[in-house]
Amino acid sequence: MPIVSAPPREIIERVKKLRAEIARHNYLYYVLDAPEIPDAEYDRLFRELQELEARYPKLITPDSPTQRVGAAPPKKFGAVRHEVPMLSLANAFAEQEVVDSDRRVRERLGLEQVEYSAEPKLDGLAVSLLYQRGQFTQGATRGDGETGEDVTQNLRTIKAIPLHLYGTGYPELLEVRGEVYLSKRAFAALNADAQARGEKVFANPRNAAAGSLRQLDPKITASRPLAFYAYGLGKIQGGAMPDNHSAILAQLRDWGLPVAREQKVVQGVQGCLDYYRDMGARRAQLPYDIDGVVYKVNRLDYQEQLGFISRAPRWALAHKFPAQEELTEVLDIEAQVGRTGALTPVARLKPVFVGGVTVSNATLHNQDEIERLDVRVGDAVIVRRAGDVIPEIVSVVRERRPPHTRPYHLPRHCPVCGADVVRAEGEVVARCSGGLYCPAQRTGAILHFASRRAMDIEGLGDKLVEQLVAQKLVQTPADLYTLTPGQLAALERMGEKSAANVHGAIQKSKKTTLARFLFALGIREVGEATAQTLANHFGGLDAVMQADEETLQNVPDVGPIVAAHIAAFFRQRHNREVIQRLRAAGVNWPGMKREPAAHLPLASKTFVLTGTLERMTRDEAKEKLQALGAKVSGSVSSKTSYVVAGADPGSKLDTARGLGVEVLDEAALLKLLRG
Ligand code: D41
């Protein structure tokens, strides 16, 4: 029951304290990316405040963190005039345009070199936030730059936007400009949700952000995990701001407004181009989508001197990345057979330049995906190539579907060996049942065996292995070790020199490690990490081969499914024979004393490596850590013991900080490795 009489002093104090605590944790979480308390603890504080406010409604204030979703939906958004117009950004696509722009800036300013603030260009929606005496009072979309829509109630639901500025010293009136966006993760979750409910999915995070912000009902916006980064200022009154852009951003961050942590001050055009390349390389690892970077002349007096031209400041330039999505045509669809027999449908495309390379194939993953997209031979499609990711088809452009398209279904017989294709109940993957009799699976298995992280046989590429398998020179990995230089030299595109090199590489690969060998065998579900754990746990190959499923499940991280795959692999007579022949050919690894993993100094510790190390490669660091019994994983979780961060670390470092995982630099790692 709500109490109408004046609340007791302790309650008033407690409510005040809770709001201050919640504001501080919001700041730690959204701005510094370094939460001090787990989510559950935050939720407890929040609920306590909600309960007190429910009991004493008099205590509710509009800037209470509980009041993000308040007002009822309006009929339509009101208009907001931007007193200081929201300008647009000039674009550059080629380096030369950046060089030219910098030259013009230097000529106008009469300078040899200009200092720039470089920032990621988020692919979101520009908005303006008005703070009066520290209170968030109005928020608007950019609109045409002169007039936008009043989306205050929706912006209030974005937790990264403070309802009240943090700290002190802010001007009486402060207009902050920035970008509302969706993280890649939030976008994927939103679309997965929409799909599960049979609703329309968004084509990209930008559309999803715009659609979410322009909902009349703030409850809907509140349910979308939108985020915000500040990138500039509008009108300021009753207070002063720093005299350069990077200091302004730092000041905004101190007041609780999130700023992209990738923002950086750089010197001259070379600094800009280095930043562009660096961000391009890190793009795939960033937690949000960017479509380029933005350079801004750092000093405000220079900005003023430069002014603007046709609605765009002369002091700012967006340098765009090559588009990651392009329109093209599906010429054909074919099934590819991998080393586990999995049939992957691949679309043959009319070649198109996307993500910086010419793409003529895109994976369609599996039959379900083909049906989800309803992609047919002849369709117009959007292909996407992001970073080093395999190109894929995002969607079919239905409006452009020609009259005679052909639906595709994976074949019932393996296109390579003719064996039945089977799809186990509940599985999405269809597989060739031909096993190692299927040349495609054999080729795949041998390529995997020879790959860098397995037996590391240099020069044994796919064209070569295909020939070896087709000519029946190699049927199993063991046959590699009986090949003569003469046999290799007789193959197409092989000279004597390269034949000798490949032969040498095969001989060299005989000396290996048990972990690499186990990984090389290509047992289903046994990746590098599991292979290493098995090697540590059992110490020798015979022990692994003899272990039954129950024994295998005693190995850390080996569950019933993996155990079943391992046991099934070694039960096969064919596999045991191949292993026997490999050993007879001289494949060996230094005898590991059977040292239970628990005795190793780093047993039970999990490491994640990120960024560039100076004294060793990441692979070397990984091997050294594993030799000491540590597990090295690719992703950070609450179970991670340490994250080792080299130069230019990726988002893993942020995740580690967010989870409170201890972070080591290279020096600390070296110390640890030295024991
Ligand atoms: O990240 C962005 N999308 C971004 C957009 C950014 N980092 N900086 C920006 N700076 C400006 C100026 C220089 C005009 C203040 C912008 C935009 N404008 C912008 N966003 C949409 C239109 C213009």
Side-chain angles (χ1 to χ4, degrees), residues 85-89 119-127 142 177-179 206 229-233 245 290-296 311-313 315-317:
M86 291 183 78
L87 300 174
S88 55
L89 275 171
E119 354 182 315
K121 183 170 184 301
L122 274 89
D123 204 7
L125 198 71
V127 297
R142 176 171 178 274
R177 266 117 196 227
E179 201 86 357
R206 188 197 143 71
Y229 273 140
Y231 64 63
L233 294 177
H245 182 73
I290 60 176
D291 58 354
V293 299
V294 186
Y295 314 123
K296 299 175 184 174
R311 321 248 97 238
W315 45 266
L317 184 68

Side-chain angles (χ1 to χ4, degrees), residues 113-324:
Q113 179 169 294
V114 178
E115 180 174 277
Y116 292 95
S117 166
E119 354 182 315
K121 183 170 184 301
L122 274 89
D123 204 7
L125 198 71
V127 297
S128 186
L129 312 174
L130 187 67
Y131 286 88
Q132 288 174 295
R133 295 179 200 279
Q135 293 249 54
F136 174 53
T137 52
Q138 188 176 64
T141 59
R142 176 171 178 274
D144 62 4
E146 296 283 338
T147 313
E149 285 178 316
D150 182 343
V151 286
T152 312
Q153 294 308 326
N154 288 342
L155 289 168
R156 281 176 61 92
T157 69
I158 301 176
K159 298 203 186 74
I161 294 180
L163 295 178
H164 199 285
L165 295 180
Y166 196 72
T168 55
Y170 35 77
E172 220 152 275
L173 187 149
L174 171 71
E175 203 180 319
V176 178
R177 266 117 196 227
E179 201 86 357
V180 167
Y181 69 96
L182 269 171
S183 69
K184 289 178 189 167
R185 214 216 201 118
F187 171 70
L190 188 63
N191 264 353
D193 238 43
Q195 206 186 335
R197 274 191 256 128
E199 290 165 18
K200 181 174 148 269
V201 298
F202 293 104
N204 56 52
R206 188 197 143 71
N207 287 355
S212 302
L213 195 62
R214 299 192 63 260
Q215 290 285 335
L216 285 170
D217 186 353
K219 284 207 185 75
I220 298 182
T221 312
S223 73
R224 310 270 169 93
L226 293 167
F228 173 81
Y229 273 140
Y231 64 63
L233 294 177
K235 190 176 170 183
I236 306 293
Q237 239 174 23
M241 292 299 288
D243 61 7
N244 70 70
H245 182 73
S246 54
I248 289 172
L249 294 183
Q251 175 65 81
L252 292 177
R253 185 185 276 143
D254 283 347
W255 287 333
L257 289 151
V259 173
R261 59 166 65 240
E262 286 75 21
Q263 185 271 336
K264 190 177 158 187
V265 173
V266 300
Q267 305 301 329
V269 70
Q270 195 52 55
C272 290
L273 297 177
D274 289 346
Y275 181 83
Y276 177 83
R277 273 187 283 259
D278 181 45
M279 290 301 286
R282 287 167 54 191
R283 185 180 187 188
Q285 278 86 48
L286 291 177
Y288 46 79
D289 263 327
I290 60 176
D291 58 354
V293 299
V294 186
Y295 314 123
K296 299 175 184 174
V297 172
N298 204 21
R299 274 174 57 161
L300 295 203
D301 55 344
Y302 289 161
Q303 290 187 1
E304 211 159 314
Q305 216 175 313
L306 290 161
F308 48 89
I309 175 168
S310 62
R311 321 248 97 238
R314 283 204 188 87
W315 45 266
L317 184 68
H319 189 182
K320 298 282 207 84
F321 292 134
Q324 290 190 315

